[in-house]
Amino acid sequence: MAAALVAYLHFLAIFALFALLSVEHVLFKAPLDLRRARSLMLTDLAYGICAGLVLLTGLARVLWYGKGWAYYLHNSLFHAKVGLFILVGLLSILPTVVFLNWRPALKTGRVPEPSARQIVLVTWCIRLELLLLLLLPLLAALLARGYG
């Protein structure tokens, strides 16, 4: 029962991660208004929390509820999956830094004004994150069927 619950939480966190990143993509458009800027900051915070939940529940599945650490340690698909997840995490740093830099303006009620370069970079980071996240379930399905 515990294995099923951990798997369920893992899947929910993954779905939420993708949904929150999709929300960020929709909200991040110029010109910004105060409400959307605040929503972006909260969405990005929730995205980070969900990423942590994906990592923790995934680790629990590997260590206690999966096929055993030895299976995963020597499986190239597992390494690819973890590597992609890390890459998504690294890509998420830029949007997070941009949103965190808005805090002083938002505290005073001013609308942040991202530069044209920031808009392009953040938009493409989010799009690349979404694309890479779409590959993770494929790798997971292959891994679950003994490939790698």
Side-chain angles (χ1 to χ4, degrees), residues 55-107:
L55 189 61
L56 290 174
T57 55
L59 190 60
R61 293 187 76 196
V62 166
L63 294 176
W64 300 296
Y65 303 111
K67 296 178 180 181
W69 181 246
Y71 173 79
Y72 295 106
L73 187 62
H74 300 293
N75 191 300
S76 59
L77 286 174
F78 176 74
H79 291 278
K81 187 177 167 195
V82 171
L84 272 179
F85 189 76
I86 290 169
L87 182 56
V88 169
L90 291 172
L91 285 168
S92 76
I93 292 171
L94 176 68
T96 298
V97 168
V98 168
F99 301 152
L100 287 176
N101 284 335
W102 294 352
R103 288 173 65 192
L106 291 174
K107 281 184 180 180

Side-chain angles (χ1 to χ4, degrees), residues 1-12 56-61 65:
M1 181 69 170
L5 182 59
V6 170
Y8 176 70
L9 292 174
H10 188 64
F11 296 143
L12 278 182
L56 290 174
T57 55
L59 190 60
R61 293 187 76 196
Y65 303 111

